[in-house]
Amino acid sequence: MGKPSGPNARQTDSGRLRAAWGDPVDEGAVRQIHACMADGTGAVGGVLMADHHLGYSMPVGGVVAYEGRISPSGVGYDIACGNKAVRVALTADEVRPRIAELMDEIWETISFGIGRRNKEPVDHPLFDDDPAWSIDVAAGLRSLARGQLGTVGAGNHYVDVFADGEDRVWIGVHFGSRGLGHRLATHFMRLGGGSDDFHAPPVLFDVDSRAGEEYRACMELAGRYAYAGRDWVCGRVCEILGSAALEEVHNHHNFAWLEEHGGRRLWVVRKGATPAFPGQRGFIGGSMGDVSVIVEGVDTEEAARGYRSTVHGAGRVMSRTAAAGRVRWRRGKGGRKRPVVVKEGRISRQMMEDWVRDWGVELRGAGTDESPHCYKRLPEVLEHHAGSVRVLHTLQPLGVAMAGPETHDPYRD
């Protein structure tokens, strides 16, 4: 197959690692993905996307194809984390004059973090019609899931308003299955012998074992739940903007799919990687001070080599602790946890606000651990995947809403 494009791209037939995109390639992530494909795992092959970095057990930006096996640690704690973008019937010229007012209403209406600021009920048929609720581990989580449906969470999860190159307005959101997915993942990783070690070997189940069948059912349930949450938030923001949705793009990027590659039916586990089959569209977010994009998969040898996958974001270049410093959470009045900085970070609030102001972004919330300084530039990252996806729309951020640094959320990423 052809060599991956982009500076410093690496093609390899060493072991089962097909290719590693990125500049530079993270050797720690390479070691992690090799461990996920060791002898006896059932792995056929794997790749690293250009936004890859270390993750729990399997690197973020990693893709591994297994024959007859599925990996809860590969999918990760935020099962079905993903992105949704919606184009609305408005122009940027109509939105810009009132973007501050609109972002205020989004900030007051959409719930970030673990609690629910907006008390309006959010419901969905999945709470009554999905057979996975009969599985013991899921049965006790239905109430938690009901309470968090439509909440965005913290960390790198967001609600954004964009303008594309044709002056059209888009809504973009990024979050997953919240506490439901986190607790399901925790259960199955423990069941499979997982440990708290960041570099723990992969947890794997035969897909036709009882554990494998139950994990697949719970993963699918978490997937429906994540889709329902992103649908509700996008619909609610449409109401705030006062406009109907004209088109949408919706993808998971932490999930496992049964797919055909090279004439074989394989379970493809993507952690922080977006499916990109020929003609399939995906929404990929940058940082709060960078562009985002709508892409489409193309049919090339390079795309096939990469298991029809692409990046899910820009990729971090600075850890949360390095950016924001070290924080301890202490209970204050009313039992609410509040952050206490015990070591200053490299990025100040002023640095972050100066960057987003220069981009003309109306910002609500956000901590310095999500500052644009912490991320690569998305266009540069996408250059590495020019041979497997094409950019359909480039989206400039007008408004960004994220949980603030005072928000405590154990299900952040």
Side-chain angles (χ1 to χ4, degrees), residues 13-45:
D13 291 306
S14 172
R16 298 177 179 90
L17 183 60
R18 289 181 166 204
W21 286 268
D23 182 16
V25 171
D26 186 319
E27 296 301 332
V30 170
R31 288 191 293 272
Q32 272 195 332
I33 201 165
H34 272 302
C36 294
M37 300 185 296
D39 289 344
T41 60
V44 172

Side-chain angles (χ1 to χ4, degrees), residues 77 113-114 148 154 178-179 182-183 407-413:
Y77 284 101
I114 198 168
Q148 291 186 340
R178 307 295 288 116
H182 193 281
R183 293 196 184 186
T407 304
H408 182 258
D409 185 357
Y411 316 122
R412 337 176 22 98
D413 293 331

Side-chain angles (χ1 to χ4, degrees), residues 51 81-87 156-164 169-175 227 230 233-234 247-254 272-276 279-288 290-297 310-314 378 382 389-400:
D51 60 337
C81 188
N83 291 341
K84 183 175 182 179
V86 173
R87 182 168 69 85
N156 60 354
H157 298 153
Y158 57 75
V159 177
D160 289 359
V161 178
F162 300 101
D164 69 14
V169 172
W170 294 73
I171 299 161
V173 302
H174 170 219
F175 61 97
Y227 258 67
R230 294 190 291 262
V233 170
C234 284
E247 64 176 300
E248 66 176 50
V249 181
H250 203 170
N251 311 87
H252 297 320
H253 50 235
N254 287 2
T274 305
Q280 183 179 15
R281 297 189 303 165
F283 164 48
I284 299 170
S287 71
M288 67 178 79
D290 194 6
V291 299
S292 296
V293 293
I294 306 294
V295 300
E296 178 181 65
T310 192
V311 299
H312 82 304
L378 183 59
L382 285 168
V389 294
R390 67 169 62 94
V391 176
L392 299 178
H393 304 293
T394 298
L395 310 179
Q396 295 280 341
L398 303 177
V400 173

Side-chain angles (χ1 to χ4, degrees), residues 46 73 92 105 143 207 249:
S73 56
E105 190 169 354
S143 177
V207 293
V249 181

Side-chain angles (χ1 to χ4, degrees), residues 2-325:
K3 184 177 180 180
S5 62
N8 203 37
R10 174 190 299 180
Q11 176 182 355
T12 175
D13 291 306
S14 172
R16 298 177 179 90
L17 183 60
R18 289 181 166 204
W21 286 268
D23 182 16
V25 171
D26 186 319
E27 296 301 332
V30 170
R31 288 191 293 272
Q32 272 195 332
I33 201 165
H34 272 302
C36 294
M37 300 185 296
D39 289 344
T41 60
V44 172
V47 290
L48 289 171
M49 302 294 101
D51 60 337
H52 69 267
H53 56 86
L54 287 171
Y56 170 76
S57 182
M58 177 171 163
V60 177
V63 180
V64 179
Y66 293 98
E67 191 161 39
R69 306 196 86 184
I70 196 166
S71 176
S73 56
V75 172
Y77 284 101
D78 194 357
I79 301 172
C81 188
N83 291 341
K84 183 175 182 179
V86 173
R87 182 168 69 85
V88 298
L90 291 170
T91 66
D93 286 343
E94 293 172 305
V95 168
R96 281 193 184 96
R98 56 193 185 105
I99 189 64
E101 171 191 338
L102 292 169
M103 294 310 299
D104 283 344
E105 190 169 354
I106 289 170
W107 180 246
E108 291 302 319
T109 302
I110 306 302
S111 298
F112 295 85
I114 198 168
R116 183 181 293 281
R117 176 186 304 149
N118 182 356
K119 301 302 182 182
E120 64 186 281
V122 181
D123 203 1
H124 194 275
L126 71 86
F127 292 113
D128 300 312
D129 68 11
D130 200 303
W133 294 116
S134 64
I135 298 169
D136 286 348
V137 63
L141 297 175
R142 191 165 357 197
S143 177
L144 170 74
R146 281 187 185 276
Q148 291 186 340
L149 183 62
T151 64
V152 174
N156 60 354
H157 298 153
Y158 57 75
V159 177
D160 289 359
V161 178
F162 300 101
D164 69 14
E166 300 173 58
D167 199 44
R168 302 177 304 182
V169 172
W170 294 73
I171 299 161
V173 302
H174 170 219
F175 61 97
S177 54
R178 307 295 288 116
L180 172 66
H182 193 281
R183 293 196 184 186
L184 290 171
T186 299
H187 166 82
F188 284 103
M189 286 190 217
R190 288 174 178 167
L191 182 65
S195 72
D196 292 334
D197 182 0
F198 196 69
H199 298 286
V203 172
L204 293 159
F205 297 133
D206 292 336
V207 293
D208 56 359
S209 67
R210 178 176 176 178
E213 289 177 348
E214 289 190 347
Y215 177 74
R216 285 161 51 198
C218 288
M219 180 188 71
E220 294 287 348
L221 171 63
R224 286 189 70 193
Y225 181 83
Y227 258 67
R230 294 190 291 262
D231 286 345
W232 184 85
V233 170
C234 284
R236 195 66 181 83
V237 176
C238 282
E239 293 177 16
I240 292 170
L241 297 182
S243 180
L246 300 180
E247 64 176 300
E248 66 176 50
V249 181
H250 203 170
N251 311 87
H252 297 320
H253 50 235
N254 287 2
F255 212 68
W257 291 266
L258 181 61
E259 301 171 354
E260 185 170 323
H261 294 273
R264 302 168 75 175
R265 298 283 282 172
L266 302 171
W267 281 95
V268 179
V269 176
R270 295 182 177 91
K271 175 181 279 188
T274 305
F277 282 81
Q280 183 179 15
R281 297 189 303 165
F283 164 48
I284 299 170
S287 71
M288 67 178 79
D290 194 6
V291 299
S292 296
V293 293
I294 306 294
V295 300
E296 178 181 65
V298 298
D299 192 9
T300 62
E301 288 188 359
E302 184 173 331
R305 186 178 189 87
Y307 291 109
R308 309 290 183 184
S309 306
T310 192
V311 299
H312 82 304
R316 296 189 73 94
V317 293
M318 189 184 303
S319 72
R320 294 189 182 283
T321 301

